[in-house]
Amino acid sequence: MTATEPSRTAAPEPAAGPARGDGEKGSAFVGLSRVMLLGFVRDKGTLFFTLALPLMFLLLFGVLYKGGGSTHVKVAEVGRVQVLDDARSQAQGALDALEITTGLSEADALAKVKKGDLDGLVMQKPDGTLVLRFSQADQVKAGTVQGIVNSVVQGANQAAANVAPKYSLDAAKVEDDSTKPIQYLTPGLLAYAIAMGAVYGASFTLVTWRKSRVLRRLRLAPISAGTVVGARVLVSVLVALAQTALFLAVAQIDYFGLKLTGDWWLVLPLVVCGTLAFMSIGLVTGSLAKTEESANGMNQLIILPMSFLGGAFIPLDFAPSWLQDVSRAMPLRYLIVPAKSVLSQGGGFAEALPAMGVLLAFTAVLSAVAWRFFNWDDA
Amino acid sequence: MSEAITADGIRKRYGDVQAVDGVSLSVATGEFYGLLGPNGAGKTTTLEILEGIREADEGRVEILGLSPWPRNPKLLPRMGVQFQASAFFNKLTARETIRTFASFYGIGSRAADAMLERVGLTESANVLTSKMSGGQAQRLSIACALVHDPELVFLDEPTTGLDPQARRNLWDLLRDINAEGRTVVLTTHYLDEAEVLCDRVSVMDHGRVLKTGAPAALVREIDDTVRVRIESGLLAPDRARELLTAAGAVYSNLEDDGVTLALSTAEPGPVLSVLAEQNALRGLEVRGATLEDVFLQLTGREYRA
Ligand SMILES: Nc1ncnc2c1ncn2[C@@H]1O[C@H](COP(=O)(O)OP(=O)(O)O)[C@@H](O)[C@H]1O
Ligand SMILES: [Mg+2]
């Protein structure tokens, strides 16, 4: 073991005295920010992992999942089906989720159900029996189509028996429209992208600057720790906002069709808080790791599980409850869930503010941990 | 003249290694001062304690009348520091690097570019620091240490690893820096460098200062001796002692390191005739005293950087 010493200054000191020469006030902050920004744009690896790769994920998943996730069920009405027509004329709510096609022959309709173009077909036998054929390929839709048709038949039976329904169910979806994949893909992959950028930005700055002795050189310059940290925060936040702009621009093109709702701009303060939280993770790994390789390993070991468990790649709405509980421990979740809500589901301050609080508290705790392990040099 | 630096009894220990073992020194304002010693002598550690990036276990340091530890922001703009190994931001060019360092001191880009010109790097201004040669990197390092016009400059082995021409060019630059009235503290393991550049040197070994003085004065103290060297293997050391004693030659510090057999003497005549008789003159070298002999006299060892 080499002897290390806990050499660190007590508190950020103010810059000393008036500078000589053609000094401009505050230029250390500008100079440091510029260095960090240049380090970012000149590193092809960083650009790829923080911008290109997450964007490729968005495009890929966006294309793959397009059309999926809709709760609309397509059904063919073969011949005339009295109950269905009656229900439709009475504008029963349950039928909203059915998209009914008419005019197909039984054979054609059956072929389409088998192929998956339709989710089911309904016809009425001369004796009044209602026939429903559906595909099990999509279990959710199979269940939906059975449930809806069943409720229509029961309603018709009660009406025929002249019995007023004793209980009625008024079911309606929370979302004004059915959830499209782009609505959860965008915040999920954006959060992943921001986590990559912020964690790596903070940890690699620490490790490379320590290794190349820049950190100890900075200690000998009359600048405060606050200036250095402030510049790093500024650059990481700029990168995160650029990622956000890029993701929202792509998600809103017609092909993907993301529609922003009301207070969508709340995603910006959420992104800032998320960036701070992820940077604090990078500060910890950058303080612990001596080399870029080990920092890289630690970062991946944290970001990947955090992204999966936090719901960056797959929505956790249908996950088992233990997984939901685990996800609540992931800072990423506190960016994804409220971002999804404010972006496209009409969420507002009530969704964003508590999550921002959690992210900032997380930042405070991890920054304190990082400070504990921080070292100016590795000797 | 007032003192730019005073250090009193500083010590620093790393585990089992006593890197600095009670160093006291003082450097006058405007002086060119050298810390000379072989690798591992404790030069860098001493310098780091003076600069205030390492805390001494014991002892007292005053730089320009102020204490450098804990980090003293009042002192920082008044001193310039060059580390033994360069400290550059990654992925920046030479010009971007010096402008960045300049910005830390509130110095604008015009002054930064002028400093780049001064160390002869204008042509290489757009070269990435990672692509620069050793000499260019050292000059940029020094430029970064000087960009804010400090009154006290610390340089840790600035010429190590450079070819002879580059070393000489750098010496000119260092002399100019000092001639402008700056106090310069330099460490080196090159005896000739200390001899050429320094007003005063402290010879260090094993964490201690063995002797301090002007190089010429240190040499003069022992200048009645010359150092005689021949190739090793021509004459066994024991046999040589025997023959020299028999011939009545007066000598000291006879040693053979496997490459060279060397001895010191005030009267080279009898020594040389013994060697000639034995036909052991291959590689013969007779030199007046240098700092090397000072080191030899102080430690009883040949100087090996
Ligand atoms: N950070 C460190 N940890 C442990 N040992 C060190 C450290 N720095 C220097 N040393 C040891 O202290 C001694 C003096 O080193 P140094 O001051 O670098 O000497 P010099 O600069 O004269 O070569 C050497 O034995 C070196 O191995
Ligand atoms: Mg050294």
Side-chain angles (χ1 to χ4, degrees), chain A residues 297-319:
Chain A
M298 286 187 214
N299 291 346
Q300 288 297 352
L301 224 55
I302 291 169
I303 294 174
L304 275 182
M306 178 174 79
S307 298
F308 274 105
L309 296 173
F313 304 128
I314 29 172
L316 294 174
D317 301 343
F318 306 108

mmCIF file with all atom_site columns, all heavy atoms in Angstrom, chain A residues 297-319:
data_model
loop_
_atom_site.group_PDB
_atom_site.id
_atom_site.type_symbol
_atom_site.label_atom_id
_atom_site.label_alt_id
_atom_site.label_comp_id
_atom_site.label_asym_id
_atom_site.label_entity_id
_atom_site.label_seq_id
_atom_site.pdbx_PDB_ins_code
_atom_site.Cartn_x
_atom_site.Cartn_y
_atom_site.Cartn_z
_atom_site.occupancy
_atom_site.B_iso_or_equiv
_atom_site.pdbx_formal_charge
_atom_site.auth_seq_id
_atom_site.auth_comp_id
_atom_site.auth_asym_id
_atom_site.auth_atom_id
_atom_site.pdbx_PDB_model_num
ATOM 1   N N   . GLY A 1 297 ? -16.152 0.100  -15.646 1.00 0.00 ? 297 GLY A N   1
ATOM 2   C CA  . GLY A 1 297 ? -16.786 -1.104 -15.122 1.00 0.00 ? 297 GLY A CA  1
ATOM 3   C C   . GLY A 1 297 ? -17.837 -0.773 -14.072 1.00 0.00 ? 297 GLY A C   1
ATOM 4   O O   . GLY A 1 297 ? -18.973 -1.254 -14.131 1.00 0.00 ? 297 GLY A O   1
ATOM 5   N N   . MET A 1 298 ? -17.458 0.070  -13.116 1.00 0.00 ? 298 MET A N   1
ATOM 6   C CA  . MET A 1 298 ? -18.406 0.435  -12.050 1.00 0.00 ? 298 MET A CA  1
ATOM 7   C C   . MET A 1 298 ? -19.635 1.120  -12.641 1.00 0.00 ? 298 MET A C   1
ATOM 8   O O   . MET A 1 298 ? -20.767 0.826  -12.259 1.00 0.00 ? 298 MET A O   1
ATOM 9   C CB  . MET A 1 298 ? -17.747 1.410  -11.073 1.00 0.00 ? 298 MET A CB  1
ATOM 10  C CG  . MET A 1 298 ? -16.740 0.781  -10.142 1.00 0.00 ? 298 MET A CG  1
ATOM 11  S SD  . MET A 1 298 ? -16.235 2.054  -8.933  1.00 0.00 ? 298 MET A SD  1
ATOM 12  C CE  . MET A 1 298 ? -14.534 1.599  -8.697  1.00 0.00 ? 298 MET A CE  1
ATOM 13  N N   . ASN A 1 299 ? -19.408 2.035  -13.596 1.00 0.00 ? 299 ASN A N   1
ATOM 14  C CA  . ASN A 1 299 ? -20.531 2.782  -14.168 1.00 0.00 ? 299 ASN A CA  1
ATOM 15  C C   . ASN A 1 299 ? -21.516 1.852  -14.858 1.00 0.00 ? 299 ASN A C   1
ATOM 16  O O   . ASN A 1 299 ? -22.724 1.957  -14.667 1.00 0.00 ? 299 ASN A O   1
ATOM 17  C CB  . ASN A 1 299 ? -20.019 3.825  -15.166 1.00 0.00 ? 299 ASN A CB  1
ATOM 18  C CG  . ASN A 1 299 ? -19.266 4.941  -14.475 1.00 0.00 ? 299 ASN A CG  1
ATOM 19  O OD1 . ASN A 1 299 ? -19.342 5.092  -13.247 1.00 0.00 ? 299 ASN A OD1 1
ATOM 20  N ND2 . ASN A 1 299 ? -18.539 5.722  -15.237 1.00 0.00 ? 299 ASN A ND2 1
ATOM 21  N N   . GLN A 1 300 ? -20.974 0.924  -15.671 1.00 0.00 ? 300 GLN A N   1
ATOM 22  C CA  . GLN A 1 300 ? -21.865 -0.003 -16.368 1.00 0.00 ? 300 GLN A CA  1
ATOM 23  C C   . GLN A 1 300 ? -22.630 -0.870 -15.381 1.00 0.00 ? 300 GLN A C   1
ATOM 24  O O   . GLN A 1 300 ? -23.809 -1.127 -15.542 1.00 0.00 ? 300 GLN A O   1
ATOM 25  C CB  . GLN A 1 300 ? -21.074 -0.904 -17.328 1.00 0.00 ? 300 GLN A CB  1
ATOM 26  C CG  . GLN A 1 300 ? -20.560 -0.177 -18.554 1.00 0.00 ? 300 GLN A CG  1
ATOM 27  C CD  . GLN A 1 300 ? -21.687 0.357  -19.420 1.00 0.00 ? 300 GLN A CD  1
ATOM 28  O OE1 . GLN A 1 300 ? -22.858 0.065  -19.201 1.00 0.00 ? 300 GLN A OE1 1
ATOM 29  N NE2 . GLN A 1 300 ? -21.354 1.176  -20.390 1.00 0.00 ? 300 GLN A NE2 1
ATOM 30  N N   . LEU A 1 301 ? -21.919 -1.311 -14.354 1.00 0.00 ? 301 LEU A N   1
ATOM 31  C CA  . LEU A 1 301 ? -22.527 -2.178 -13.345 1.00 0.00 ? 301 LEU A CA  1
ATOM 32  C C   . LEU A 1 301 ? -23.665 -1.472 -12.622 1.00 0.00 ? 301 LEU A C   1
ATOM 33  O O   . LEU A 1 301 ? -24.568 -2.100 -12.086 1.00 0.00 ? 301 LEU A O   1
ATOM 34  C CB  . LEU A 1 301 ? -21.442 -2.581 -12.336 1.00 0.00 ? 301 LEU A CB  1
ATOM 35  C CG  . LEU A 1 301 ? -21.405 -4.040 -11.927 1.00 0.00 ? 301 LEU A CG  1
ATOM 36  C CD1 . LEU A 1 301 ? -21.286 -4.940 -13.133 1.00 0.00 ? 301 LEU A CD1 1
ATOM 37  C CD2 . LEU A 1 301 ? -20.257 -4.277 -10.969 1.00 0.00 ? 301 LEU A CD2 1
ATOM 38  N N   . ILE A 1 302 ? -23.609 -0.147 -12.609 1.00 0.00 ? 302 ILE A N   1
ATOM 39  C CA  . ILE A 1 302 ? -24.676 0.605  -11.955 1.00 0.00 ? 302 ILE A CA  1
ATOM 40  C C   . ILE A 1 302 ? -25.763 0.990  -12.964 1.00 0.00 ? 302 ILE A C   1
ATOM 41  O O   . ILE A 1 302 ? -26.952 0.786  -12.721 1.00 0.00 ? 302 ILE A O   1
ATOM 42  C CB  . ILE A 1 302 ? -24.097 1.871  -11.286 1.00 0.00 ? 302 ILE A CB  1
ATOM 43  C CG1 . ILE A 1 302 ? -23.222 1.457  -10.102 1.00 0.00 ? 302 ILE A CG1 1
ATOM 44  C CG2 . ILE A 1 302 ? -25.222 2.789  -10.823 1.00 0.00 ? 302 ILE A CG2 1
ATOM 45  C CD1 . ILE A 1 302 ? -22.392 2.576  -9.532  1.00 0.00 ? 302 ILE A CD1 1
ATOM 46  N N   . ILE A 1 303 ? -25.347 1.513  -14.132 1.00 0.00 ? 303 ILE A N   1
ATOM 47  C CA  . ILE A 1 303 ? -26.330 2.081  -15.059 1.00 0.00 ? 303 ILE A CA  1
ATOM 48  C C   . ILE A 1 303 ? -27.248 1.011  -15.658 1.00 0.00 ? 303 ILE A C   1
ATOM 49  O O   . ILE A 1 303 ? -28.460 1.194  -15.732 1.00 0.00 ? 303 ILE A O   1
ATOM 50  C CB  . ILE A 1 303 ? -25.630 2.856  -16.194 1.00 0.00 ? 303 ILE A CB  1
ATOM 51  C CG1 . ILE A 1 303 ? -24.915 4.077  -15.622 1.00 0.00 ? 303 ILE A CG1 1
ATOM 52  C CG2 . ILE A 1 303 ? -26.643 3.306  -17.237 1.00 0.00 ? 303 ILE A CG2 1
ATOM 53  C CD1 . ILE A 1 303 ? -24.090 4.828  -16.635 1.00 0.00 ? 303 ILE A CD1 1
ATOM 54  N N   . LEU A 1 304 ? -26.659 -0.134 -16.063 1.00 0.00 ? 304 LEU A N   1
ATOM 55  C CA  . LEU A 1 304 ? -27.506 -1.127 -16.735 1.00 0.00 ? 304 LEU A CA  1
ATOM 56  C C   . LEU A 1 304 ? -28.595 -1.684 -15.831 1.00 0.00 ? 304 LEU A C   1
ATOM 57  O O   . LEU A 1 304 ? -29.771 -1.612 -16.161 1.00 0.00 ? 304 LEU A O   1
ATOM 58  C CB  . LEU A 1 304 ? -26.638 -2.233 -17.343 1.00 0.00 ? 304 LEU A CB  1
ATOM 59  C CG  . LEU A 1 304 ? -26.096 -1.891 -18.739 1.00 0.00 ? 304 LEU A CG  1
ATOM 60  C CD1 . LEU A 1 304 ? -25.283 -3.033 -19.303 1.00 0.00 ? 304 LEU A CD1 1
ATOM 61  C CD2 . LEU A 1 304 ? -27.239 -1.533 -19.689 1.00 0.00 ? 304 LEU A CD2 1
ATOM 62  N N   . PRO A 1 305 ? -28.244 -2.231 -14.643 1.00 0.00 ? 305 PRO A N   1
ATOM 63  C CA  . PRO A 1 305 ? -29.315 -2.727 -13.772 1.00 0.00 ? 305 PRO A CA  1
ATOM 64  C C   . PRO A 1 305 ? -30.288 -1.614 -13.373 1.00 0.00 ? 305 PRO A C   1
ATOM 65  O O   . PRO A 1 305 ? -31.500 -1.824 -13.341 1.00 0.00 ? 305 PRO A O   1
ATOM 66  C CB  . PRO A 1 305 ? -28.574 -3.248 -12.541 1.00 0.00 ? 305 PRO A CB  1
ATOM 67  C CG  . PRO A 1 305 ? -27.169 -3.439 -12.957 1.00 0.00 ? 305 PRO A CG  1
ATOM 68  C CD  . PRO A 1 305 ? -26.910 -2.471 -14.061 1.00 0.00 ? 305 PRO A CD  1
ATOM 69  N N   . MET A 1 306 ? -29.750 -0.420 -13.121 1.00 0.00 ? 306 MET A N   1
ATOM 70  C CA  . MET A 1 306 ? -30.621 0.679  -12.722 1.00 0.00 ? 306 MET A CA  1
ATOM 71  C C   . MET A 1 306 ? -31.610 1.005  -13.837 1.00 0.00 ? 306 MET A C   1
ATOM 72  O O   . MET A 1 306 ? -32.770 1.310  -13.580 1.00 0.00 ? 306 MET A O   1
ATOM 73  C CB  . MET A 1 306 ? -29.767 1.905  -12.385 1.00 0.00 ? 306 MET A CB  1
ATOM 74  C CG  . MET A 1 306 ? -30.562 3.135  -11.999 1.00 0.00 ? 306 MET A CG  1
ATOM 75  S SD  . MET A 1 306 ? -29.500 4.484  -11.443 1.00 0.00 ? 306 MET A SD  1
ATOM 76  C CE  . MET A 1 306 ? -28.904 5.127  -13.011 1.00 0.00 ? 306 MET A CE  1
ATOM 77  N N   . SER A 1 307 ? -31.148 0.895  -15.089 1.00 0.00 ? 307 SER A N   1
ATOM 78  C CA  . SER A 1 307 ? -32.028 1.219  -16.203 1.00 0.00 ? 307 SER A CA  1
ATOM 79  C C   . SER A 1 307 ? -33.116 0.162  -16.367 1.00 0.00 ? 307 SER A C   1
ATOM 80  O O   . SER A 1 307 ? -34.279 0.490  -16.559 1.00 0.00 ? 307 SER A O   1
ATOM 81  C CB  . SER A 1 307 ? -31.217 1.340  -17.494 1.00 0.00 ? 307 SER A CB  1
ATOM 82  O OG  . SER A 1 307 ? -30.288 2.379  -17.362 1.00 0.00 ? 307 SER A OG  1
ATOM 83  N N   . PHE A 1 308 ? -32.730 -1.103 -16.277 1.00 0.00 ? 308 PHE A N   1
ATOM 84  C CA  . PHE A 1 308 ? -33.738 -2.160 -16.399 1.00 0.00 ? 308 PHE A CA  1
ATOM 85  C C   . PHE A 1 308 ? -34.732 -2.081 -15.253 1.00 0.00 ? 308 PHE A C   1
ATOM 86  O O   . PHE A 1 308 ? -35.940 -2.075 -15.458 1.00 0.00 ? 308 PHE A O   1
ATOM 87  C CB  . PHE A 1 308 ? -33.069 -3.538 -16.425 1.00 0.00 ? 308 PHE A CB  1
ATOM 88  C CG  . PHE A 1 308 ? -32.638 -3.942 -17.799 1.00 0.00 ? 308 PHE A CG  1
ATOM 89  C CD1 . PHE A 1 308 ? -31.304 -3.910 -18.161 1.00 0.00 ? 308 PHE A CD1 1
ATOM 90  C CD2 . PHE A 1 308 ? -33.579 -4.335 -18.745 1.00 0.00 ? 308 PHE A CD2 1
ATOM 91  C CE1 . PHE A 1 308 ? -30.901 -4.264 -19.434 1.00 0.00 ? 308 PHE A CE1 1
ATOM 92  C CE2 . PHE A 1 308 ? -33.194 -4.689 -20.029 1.00 0.00 ? 308 PHE A CE2 1
ATOM 93  C CZ  . PHE A 1 308 ? -31.852 -4.659 -20.368 1.00 0.00 ? 308 PHE A CZ  1
ATOM 94  N N   . LEU A 1 309 ? -34.198 -2.006 -14.028 1.00 0.00 ? 309 LEU A N   1
ATOM 95  C CA  . LEU A 1 309 ? -35.082 -2.028 -12.862 1.00 0.00 ? 309 LEU A CA  1
ATOM 96  C C   . LEU A 1 309 ? -35.864 -0.732 -12.726 1.00 0.00 ? 309 LEU A C   1
ATOM 97  O O   . LEU A 1 309 ? -36.947 -0.715 -12.151 1.00 0.00 ? 309 LEU A O   1
ATOM 98  C CB  . LEU A 1 309 ? -34.272 -2.295 -11.594 1.00 0.00 ? 309 LEU A CB  1
ATOM 99  C CG  . LEU A 1 309 ? -33.592 -3.671 -11.562 1.00 0.00 ? 309 LEU A CG  1
ATOM 100 C CD1 . LEU A 1 309 ? -32.680 -3.802 -10.356 1.00 0.00 ? 309 LEU A CD1 1
ATOM 101 C CD2 . LEU A 1 309 ? -34.650 -4.771 -11.550 1.00 0.00 ? 309 LEU A CD2 1
ATOM 102 N N   . GLY A 1 310 ? -35.298 0.343  -13.253 1.00 0.00 ? 310 GLY A N   1
ATOM 103 C CA  . GLY A 1 310 ? -36.004 1.617  -13.157 1.00 0.00 ? 310 GLY A CA  1
ATOM 104 C C   . GLY A 1 310 ? -37.031 1.795  -14.263 1.00 0.00 ? 310 GLY A C   1
ATOM 105 O O   . GLY A 1 310 ? -37.759 2.776  -14.279 1.00 0.00 ? 310 GLY A O   1
ATOM 106 N N   . GLY A 1 311 ? -37.080 0.840  -15.210 1.00 0.00 ? 311 GLY A N   1
ATOM 107 C CA  . GLY A 1 311 ? -38.102 0.886  -16.248 1.00 0.00 ? 311 GLY A CA  1
ATOM 108 C C   . GLY A 1 311 ? -37.714 1.689  -17.469 1.00 0.00 ? 311 GLY A C   1
ATOM 109 O O   . GLY A 1 311 ? -38.579 2.233  -18.151 1.00 0.00 ? 311 GLY A O   1
ATOM 110 N N   . ALA A 1 312 ? -36.399 1.766  -17.773 1.00 0.00 ? 312 ALA A N   1
ATOM 111 C CA  . ALA A 1 312 ? -35.977 2.557  -18.921 1.00 0.00 ? 312 ALA A CA  1
ATOM 112 C C   . ALA A 1 312 ? -36.295 1.844  -20.228 1.00 0.00 ? 312 ALA A C   1
ATOM 113 O O   . ALA A 1 312 ? -36.639 2.484  -21.215 1.00 0.00 ? 312 ALA A O   1
ATOM 114 C CB  . ALA A 1 312 ? -34.482 2.862  -18.848 1.00 0.00 ? 312 ALA A CB  1
ATOM 115 N N   . PHE A 1 313 ? -36.173 0.530  -20.243 1.00 0.00 ? 313 PHE A N   1
ATOM 116 C CA  . PHE A 1 313 ? -36.334 -0.212 -21.490 1.00 0.00 ? 313 PHE A CA  1
ATOM 117 C C   . PHE A 1 313 ? -37.706 -0.878 -21.595 1.00 0.00 ? 313 PHE A C   1
ATOM 118 O O   . PHE A 1 313 ? -38.232 -1.056 -22.672 1.00 0.00 ? 313 PHE A O   1
ATOM 119 C CB  . PHE A 1 313 ? -35.235 -1.271 -21.616 1.00 0.00 ? 313 PHE A CB  1
ATOM 120 C CG  . PHE A 1 313 ? -33.854 -0.694 -21.516 1.00 0.00 ? 313 PHE A CG  1
ATOM 121 C CD1 . PHE A 1 313 ? -32.927 -1.213 -20.632 1.00 0.00 ? 313 PHE A CD1 1
ATOM 122 C CD2 . PHE A 1 313 ? -33.488 0.395  -22.296 1.00 0.00 ? 313 PHE A CD2 1
ATOM 123 C CE1 . PHE A 1 313 ? -31.656 -0.677 -20.541 1.00 0.00 ? 313 PHE A CE1 1
ATOM 124 C CE2 . PHE A 1 313 ? -32.226 0.942  -22.212 1.00 0.00 ? 313 PHE A CE2 1
ATOM 125 C CZ  . PHE A 1 313 ? -31.305 0.409  -21.329 1.00 0.00 ? 313 PHE A CZ  1
ATOM 126 N N   . ILE A 1 314 ? -38.238 -1.302 -20.447 1.00 0.00 ? 314 ILE A N   1
ATOM 127 C CA  . ILE A 1 314 ? -39.543 -1.949 -20.461 1.00 0.00 ? 314 ILE A CA  1
ATOM 128 C C   . ILE A 1 314 ? -40.392 -1.308 -19.371 1.00 0.00 ? 314 ILE A C   1
ATOM 129 O O   . ILE A 1 314 ? -39.899 -1.080 -18.265 1.00 0.00 ? 314 ILE A O   1
ATOM 130 C CB  . ILE A 1 314 ? -39.425 -3.467 -20.195 1.00 0.00 ? 314 ILE A CB  1
ATOM 131 C CG1 . ILE A 1 314 ? -38.191 -3.732 -19.310 1.00 0.00 ? 314 ILE A CG1 1
ATOM 132 C CG2 . ILE A 1 314 ? -39.405 -4.265 -21.473 1.00 0.00 ? 314 ILE A CG2 1
ATOM 133 C CD1 . ILE A 1 314 ? -38.095 -5.141 -18.832 1.00 0.00 ? 314 ILE A CD1 1
ATOM 134 N N   . PRO A 1 315 ? -41.645 -0.988 -19.688 1.00 0.00 ? 315 PRO A N   1
ATOM 135 C CA  . PRO A 1 315 ? -42.483 -0.354 -18.661 1.00 0.00 ? 315 PRO A CA  1
ATOM 136 C C   . PRO A 1 315 ? -42.754 -1.343 -17.534 1.00 0.00 ? 315 PRO A C   1
ATOM 137 O O   . PRO A 1 315 ? -42.879 -2.543 -17.760 1.00 0.00 ? 315 PRO A O   1
ATOM 138 C CB  . PRO A 1 315 ? -43.762 -0.022 -19.419 1.00 0.00 ? 315 PRO A CB  1
ATOM 139 C CG  . PRO A 1 315 ? -43.770 -0.904 -20.607 1.00 0.00 ? 315 PRO A CG  1
ATOM 140 C CD  . PRO A 1 315 ? -42.352 -1.223 -20.945 1.00 0.00 ? 315 PRO A CD  1
ATOM 141 N N   . LEU A 1 316 ? -42.808 -0.816 -16.318 1.00 0.00 ? 316 LEU A N   1
ATOM 142 C CA  . LEU A 1 316 ? -42.956 -1.696 -15.161 1.00 0.00 ? 316 LEU A CA  1
ATOM 143 C C   . LEU A 1 316 ? -44.411 -1.790 -14.698 1.00 0.00 ? 316 LEU A C   1
ATOM 144 O O   . LEU A 1 316 ? -44.693 -2.388 -13.669 1.00 0.00 ? 316 LEU A O   1
ATOM 145 C CB  . LEU A 1 316 ? -42.085 -1.184 -14.014 1.00 0.00 ? 316 LEU A CB  1
ATOM 146 C CG  . LEU A 1 316 ? -40.577 -1.268 -14.287 1.00 0.00 ? 316 LEU A CG  1
ATOM 147 C CD1 . LEU A 1 316 ? -39.804 -0.603 -13.180 1.00 0.00 ? 316 LEU A CD1 1
ATOM 148 C CD2 . LEU A 1 316 ? -40.153 -2.715 -14.448 1.00 0.00 ? 316 LEU A CD2 1
ATOM 149 N N   . ASP A 1 317 ? -45.350 -1.205 -15.489 1.00 0.00 ? 317 ASP A N   1
ATOM 150 C CA  . ASP A 1 317 ? -46.736 -1.152 -15.032 1.00 0.00 ? 317 ASP A CA  1
ATOM 151 C C   . ASP A 1 317 ? -47.309 -2.529 -14.741 1.00 0.00 ? 317 ASP A C   1
ATOM 152 O O   . ASP A 1 317 ? -48.130 -2.708 -13.854 1.00 0.00 ? 317 ASP A O   1
ATOM 153 C CB  . ASP A 1 317 ? -47.609 -0.463 -16.088 1.00 0.00 ? 317 ASP A CB  1
ATOM 154 C CG  . ASP A 1 317 ? -47.122 0.951  -16.369 1.00 0.00 ? 317 ASP A CG  1
ATOM 155 O OD1 . ASP A 1 317 ? -46.345 1.461  -15.529 1.00 0.00 ? 317 ASP A OD1 1
ATOM 156 O OD2 . ASP A 1 317 ? -47.488 1.523  -17.402 1.00 0.00 ? 317 ASP A OD2 1
ATOM 157 N N   . PHE A 1 318 ? -46.845 -3.531 -15.510 1.00 0.00 ? 318 PHE A N   1
ATOM 158 C CA  . PHE A 1 318 ? -47.406 -4.865 -15.315 1.00 0.00 ? 318 PHE A CA  1
ATOM 159 C C   . PHE A 1 318 ? -46.442 -5.787 -14.598 1.00 0.00 ? 318 PHE A C   1
ATOM 160 O O   . PHE A 1 318 ? -46.646 -6.985 -14.528 1.00 0.00 ? 318 PHE A O   1
ATOM 161 C CB  . PHE A 1 318 ? -47.804 -5.451 -16.681 1.00 0.00 ? 318 PHE A CB  1
ATOM 162 C CG  . PHE A 1 318 ? -48.717 -4.559 -17.444 1.00 0.00 ? 318 PHE A CG  1
ATOM 163 C CD1 . PHE A 1 318 ? -48.291 -3.861 -18.562 1.00 0.00 ? 318 PHE A CD1 1
ATOM 164 C CD2 . PHE A 1 318 ? -50.033 -4.365 -17.001 1.00 0.00 ? 318 PHE A CD2 1
ATOM 165 C CE1 . PHE A 1 318 ? -49.134 -3.007 -19.245 1.00 0.00 ? 318 PHE A CE1 1
ATOM 166 C CE2 . PHE A 1 318 ? -50.885 -3.510 -17.686 1.00 0.00 ? 318 PHE A CE2 1
ATOM 167 C CZ  . PHE A 1 318 ? -50.441 -2.826 -18.807 1.00 0.00 ? 318 PHE A CZ  1
ATOM 168 N N   . ALA A 1 319 ? -45.345 -5.216 -14.076 1.00 0.00 ? 319 ALA A N   1
ATOM 169 C CA  . ALA A 1 319 ? -44.346 -6.034 -13.385 1.00 0.00 ? 319 ALA A CA  1
ATOM 170 C C   . ALA A 1 319 ? -44.892 -6.491 -12.033 1.00 0.00 ? 319 ALA A C   1
ATOM 171 O O   . ALA A 1 319 ? -45.779 -5.850 -11.466 1.00 0.00 ? 319 ALA A O   1
ATOM 172 C CB  . ALA A 1 319 ? -43.069 -5.225 -13.184 1.00 0.00 ? 319 ALA A CB  1
#
